Amino acid sequence: MQRRDFVLGAIGTGALSYLTPALAAMAAGGEPIPYGTCIRNDPLFEDPAYRKAVLEYCKVVVSEGSLKWGDLRPDRHTFTFEQADRLMTFAEEHGLEMRGHTLAWYGAMPDWTNEIASPEEARLELTTHIRSVVGRYKGRIKSWDVVNEPLSDFPKPGDLIRESIWQKHLGADYIELALRTAHEADPDVQLVINDYDIEQATDRGRARRKALLDLLRDLIDRGVPLHALGIQGHLKGDIPIDKSGLTSFVAEVKAMGLAILVTELDVIDDALPGPEAERDAAVAACARDFLDAIGAAARPERVLTWGITDQHTWVPIWFSRQDGLPNRPLPLDADFKPKPLMDVIQEFTHSFS
Ligand code: XIL
């Protein structure tokens, strides 16, 4: 029996008006939330098992690196689009949607950008880059993480916006400049601000939610073009999710007229127990808390994980385990076998269909 039939049978159609949005959508029928992953081109084009998994599970892809400044801009005058083009072509050939990530970020910046020495120069470089990159994929990439991780690590009055080459020269205004420039380059593109660690039940989590709400509200009040918030979802398996805090946060973002996307879900498992079954269950439970808390307030437009298999994940770069065991943050294991996290994602994305 489909979950939807089960729900309908269990509640009776007369009770529809009492359903949560997720259950009502499930009862009404419709498409599941499109699921996807970030992609590394090397395995995509060299490992048939990786490619098969992507095609089997995904409707959306985003490149893990090839649209970042570090990959696109070897020097001030050059754009190297080969790898991004390759993924774009693959996506189009297979009927997958491709998201864009990212135009203004503090990370993955080529060294030459440190030579940028004035606000005028920063404005010129940032706008030239955004016009060229958004313009190149106009009508093909329909959703861009325009600004990535704008918040300070632990936002405090006077320290709300993270240091970056853009913030150094332009202050917080770089955010508006990036959004306006992307909008001009492709007025139909969905403009997204993307950030992380807003789900935690900690003082830092609360500070980040508040700072993000203030930032979004200010941009909207001033008429800056912006369409969605990307909640990355690099969850720390050992830190509880503030479920009610996250639900009210999402409700407030939705009330501003913004869509919600889950853009980079994975569960960082460096501090979780070693045994696989126990660890996989904890990872799945953490993701379920996160998705359910978001789903209680809004239907996220997309759910993407930051990788699909434990074989290719950024997590060990920063969060390797002291016991030397490999990390298991993603929905498929290193042999492409689905883990409980995949069940959670499928159940969630289908619960809105
Ligand atoms: C990471 C990639 O996964 C790494 O391969 C790369 O070296 C650094 O960036 N938040 C983001 C992503 O928005 O762009 C980051 O991706 C992971 C954290």
Side-chain angles (χ1 to χ4, degrees):
M1 185 173 19
Q2 295 281 315
R3 191 167 180 227
R4 178 172 164 250
D5 300 330
F6 168 76
V7 170
L8 274 176
I11 58 172
T13 44
L16 281 181
S17 52
Y18 299 105
L19 296 179
T20 63
L23 287 175
M26 183 176 355
E31 287 296 305
I33 298 170
Y35 163 74
T37 177
C38 77
I39 297 285
R40 292 185 179 172
N41 275 10
D42 284 353
L44 184 72
F45 295 109
E46 283 157 27
D47 179 357
Y50 181 91
R51 189 166 52 247
K52 181 168 173 282
V54 169
L55 293 174
E56 179 176 343
Y57 290 100
C58 298
K59 295 261 181 289
V60 196
V61 293
V62 59
S63 110
E64 184 168 355
S66 63
L67 282 169
K68 291 175 180 167
W69 277 70
D71 282 43
L72 280 181
R73 305 297 308 279
D75 62 56
R76 197 183 277 257
H77 312 288
T78 313
F79 287 82
T80 46
F81 286 115
E82 287 78 10
Q83 292 301 325
D85 281 356
R86 239 182 136 196
L87 180 58
M88 185 81 245
T89 304
F90 173 88
E92 288 173 340
E93 279 172 4
H94 292 89
L96 301 170
E97 175 185 302
M98 174 152 149
R99 302 198 61 250
H101 176 87
T102 178
L103 300 165
W105 188 32
Y106 75 96
M109 293 298 281
D111 286 346
W112 67 263
T113 54
N114 291 319
E115 293 160 16
I116 296 173
S118 68
E120 293 69 34
E121 211 182 325
R123 203 170 289 123
L124 179 70
E125 292 299 346
L126 183 61
T127 55
T128 306
H129 180 88
I130 292 178
R131 272 189 212 112
S132 310
V133 179
V134 174
R136 182 179 185 88
Y137 299 103
K138 188 172 177 172
R140 300 165 82 195
I141 290 183
K142 300 199 170 83
S143 174
W144 265 103
D145 295 334
V146 178
V147 181
N148 197 34
E149 304 182 344
L151 293 184
S152 286
D153 186 60
F154 196 145
K156 298 188 178 72
D159 176 21
L160 294 172
I161 302 300
R162 187 185 290 271
E163 282 181 20
S164 69
I165 196 80
W166 312 120
Q167 173 272 349
K168 177 173 155 195
H169 291 295
L170 303 170
D173 288 351
Y174 87 86
I175 297 171
E176 173 174 355
L177 180 66
L179 290 163
R180 288 195 188 282
T181 308
H183 188 58
E184 279 163 27
D186 183 352
D188 294 327
V189 97
Q190 181 186 53
L191 307 169
V192 183
I193 288 185
N194 198 40
D195 218 321
Y196 71 104
D197 278 3
I198 51 111
E199 60 280 333
Q200 298 175 356
T202 57
D203 285 346
R204 180 168 162 270
R206 280 180 280 278
R208 288 178 67 78
R209 287 195 289 280
K210 164 140 189 3
L212 194 46
L213 285 177
D214 290 348
L215 172 66
L216 298 176
R217 202 182 314 278
D218 174 59
L219 291 166
I220 286 171
D221 285 352
R222 290 188 298 110
V224 176
L226 174 66
H227 307 118
L229 174 67
I231 302 179
Q232 291 187 357
H234 292 294
L235 311 180
K236 276 290 280 161
D238 54 313
I239 301 182
I241 307 284
D242 185 340
K243 292 212 268 178
S244 62
L246 182 55
T247 300
S248 1
F249 169 83
V250 170
E252 285 199 52
V253 175
K254 191 179 162 189
M256 292 182 211
L258 298 177
I260 301 285
L261 292 83
V262 174
T263 49
E264 305 187 16
L265 178 61
D266 54 19
V267 183
I268 298 167
D269 61 339
D270 57 335
L272 291 178
E276 281 184 10
E278 207 179 322
R279 186 139 47 106
D280 291 353
V283 161
C286 179
R288 176 176 284 123
D289 282 351
F290 170 73
L291 291 172
D292 283 351
I294 293 173
R299 176 194 201 270
E301 278 189 4
R302 302 285 180 270
V303 173
L304 285 88
T305 48
W306 204 242
I308 190 166
T309 160
D310 294 335
Q311 202 183 118
H312 299 289
T313 160
W314 76 298
V315 168
I317 305 172
W318 296 99
F319 305 98
S320 66
R321 292 175 58 88
Q322 282 190 348
D323 59 14
L325 290 172
N327 295 93
R328 299 175 64 83
L330 289 168
L332 305 180
D333 72 10
D335 297 319
F336 300 94
K337 221 165 101 291
K339 293 158 47 189
L341 176 57
M342 183 58 96
D343 297 335
V344 166
I345 291 169
Q346 292 194 328
E347 203 175 303
F348 179 77
T349 52
H350 283 81
S351 72
F352 283 85
S353 67

